[in-house]
Amino acid sequence: MCGVIGIVSNSEVNQAIYDALTVMQHRGQDAAGVVTWGSRGLKQRRGNGLVRDVFHHRHMMRLTGNVGLGHVRYPTAGGSKSSEAQPFYVNSPYGICLAHNGNLTNHDELSELLIREDRRHLSTDSDSEVLLNVFAHELHIRANGRLTPDQVFDAVEALHRRCKGGYAVVALIVGHGIAAFRDPNGIRPLVVGERKSGEGTDYMVASESVALDVLQFTRLRDLKPGETIYIENGGRLHSREHRGDVRHTPCIFEYVYFARPDSILDDISVYKARLRMGEELAGKVVREFPDHDIDVVIPIPDTSRTSALQVAYHLGVKYREGFIKNRYIGRTFIMPGQAERAKSVRRKLNAIELEFRGKNVLLVDDSIIRGTTSKQIIKLAREAGANRVYFASAAPPVRYPNVYGIDMPAASELIANGREVEEVEKLIGADRLIYQDLHGLIRSVRHGGSHISEFDTSCFSGEYVAGDVTDEYLQQLEQRRNDSAKKRRKAKRKGFKTSENSDARKPKPAVGM
């Protein structure tokens, strides 16, 4: 999962991109990068770490120009190396920089074709570099004198025919402008906005609308599935809808967990969606636990607060903040290594004993991934004196890997994979576990006025909307994503050897292939 920014302005964009990246830091804490272009040429700064750590005053002063891209990254393909921080760059044709949110499911096949047939060189394992080279190759074929919007649009159409998976892309074509596009399923989000001034109109594209808000851009609309927009350096915006088949199926996990609640994605308020998730979850609690003895509802901060408030309201019980969060600890399910994740929960949350002592508490979280966090939190609640600890998830059981740009664990490391709810309940140590139903989650996000009729729910259902996932691909993904494989890659970079053995459980096959 990543966050992307692209701005064409009438003034310097370095500070604007920095500010936008800081409000999208939740989308990527592994690496950050900025590229700008202006009268002094192309300037860039990339590195591992948070935005505030990668960019210092001396770097910002060098990032001159009125056109630029920004990126924050979690590694989904490739690794945690500074060489894979984005945006990437190729010098032919024109010079192109590209930043990408998503994942290509035919990365290996495309890499081979690029090297063998397109005669392109790849220096990393990142699928973003593959996307860049496919786009550059297709644009090079069509380059004929002055660059035109139709050449850009035709190059992206050709890219859509070659690339499979979920992707939202911004690309800076040096000296010409910025192109931005979504995959034909619109799985990953991308929104465009404008800002009027006495000097003209500035344009901005971003992964979430909150980035537009902080810079006082007016949100125009979300890009349609497969649509491309091209913003010339002079400030003129062109667009073309995808000429092939489209099926608008945005990722539902954006609304569950990743997106900020103050964002609007595909005309759907993330905040309102989470309110409705709480209403649906409360109904599930009443159906499964009609004679409940819940004294208090306590959220797992931060993303579950909105849902937990509604659960408490509809159950007619107290809502209390029972955990205080250390805001300087990253998201735990993405941290490498089970032991590190378990320790980080203790560093991340501290219980307020007064809210737990002698009470039957219902803890509400947005989702359960590995179960590491849930188990540790339940233990914290018991140590704080809770009488009974119930647990509710605003999302259904996560049983299958996400292949479209969210760096979820290998299937064997998902606690609900191949297990019934009662088994998960025992593993995390809850007195009762209640999951949201999938149809309840879909109903929560797809409100009455929404034009979205379906979503990518693959991590819950095992049905991959782009029709591009095979059992063989999932097996390869399992081998790459499990903790043992990540440890081997990390040790290899440090020059150590590790055992090839792994005690990971065999994952349950996905359905709906």
Short mmCIF file of all heavy atoms in Angstrom, two decimals, residues 8 34 86 181 184 261 320 393:
data_model
loop_
_atom_site.label_atom_id
_atom_site.label_comp_id
_atom_site.label_asym_id
_atom_site.label_seq_id
_atom_site.Cartn_x
_atom_site.Cartn_y
_atom_site.Cartn_z
N VAL A 8 0.78 20.07 -10.68
CA VAL A 8 1.21 21.03 -11.69
C VAL A 8 0.70 22.39 -11.22
O VAL A 8 -0.50 22.61 -11.10
CB VAL A 8 0.65 20.70 -13.09
CG1 VAL A 8 1.03 21.80 -14.08
CG2 VAL A 8 1.16 19.35 -13.57
N VAL A 34 10.39 12.43 -3.47
CA VAL A 34 9.83 13.58 -4.20
C VAL A 34 10.70 13.85 -5.41
O VAL A 34 11.94 13.78 -5.33
CB VAL A 34 9.76 14.84 -3.31
CG1 VAL A 34 9.41 16.07 -4.15
CG2 VAL A 34 8.74 14.67 -2.20
N GLN A 86 10.44 5.37 -4.29
CA GLN A 86 9.93 6.00 -5.52
C GLN A 86 9.90 7.53 -5.33
O GLN A 86 9.99 8.02 -4.21
CB GLN A 86 8.53 5.46 -5.81
CG GLN A 86 8.50 3.97 -6.06
CD GLN A 86 7.09 3.47 -6.35
OE1 GLN A 86 6.29 4.11 -7.03
NE2 GLN A 86 6.76 2.31 -5.81
N PHE A 181 -3.31 7.78 -14.04
CA PHE A 181 -4.32 6.82 -14.49
C PHE A 181 -4.54 5.73 -13.46
O PHE A 181 -3.71 5.48 -12.59
CB PHE A 181 -3.92 6.21 -15.84
CG PHE A 181 -2.53 5.61 -15.90
CD1 PHE A 181 -2.31 4.28 -15.61
CD2 PHE A 181 -1.45 6.40 -16.27
CE1 PHE A 181 -1.04 3.73 -15.67
CE2 PHE A 181 -0.17 5.86 -16.34
CZ PHE A 181 0.04 4.52 -16.04
N PRO A 184 -8.21 -0.67 -14.96
CA PRO A 184 -9.57 -0.75 -15.49
C PRO A 184 -10.63 -1.23 -14.48
O PRO A 184 -11.81 -1.17 -14.77
CB PRO A 184 -9.44 -1.75 -16.64
CG PRO A 184 -8.02 -1.63 -17.08
CD PRO A 184 -7.26 -1.42 -15.81
N PRO A 261 -10.37 8.65 7.84
CA PRO A 261 -11.82 8.82 7.89
C PRO A 261 -12.32 10.10 7.25
O PRO A 261 -13.47 10.18 6.84
CB PRO A 261 -12.13 8.78 9.40
CG PRO A 261 -10.83 9.08 10.07
CD PRO A 261 -9.78 8.53 9.17
N ARG A 320 -16.35 3.83 26.15
CA ARG A 320 -15.23 4.41 26.88
C ARG A 320 -13.93 4.20 26.13
O ARG A 320 -13.76 3.21 25.41
CB ARG A 320 -15.10 3.76 28.28
CG ARG A 320 -16.23 4.11 29.23
CD ARG A 320 -16.16 5.57 29.66
NE ARG A 320 -17.15 5.90 30.67
CZ ARG A 320 -18.37 6.36 30.42
NH1 ARG A 320 -18.75 6.53 29.16
NH2 ARG A 320 -19.19 6.66 31.41
N SER A 393 -15.09 -7.63 15.44
CA SER A 393 -14.37 -7.09 14.28
C SER A 393 -15.35 -6.45 13.32
O SER A 393 -16.35 -7.07 12.93
CB SER A 393 -13.60 -8.22 13.57
OG SER A 393 -13.12 -7.78 12.31
#
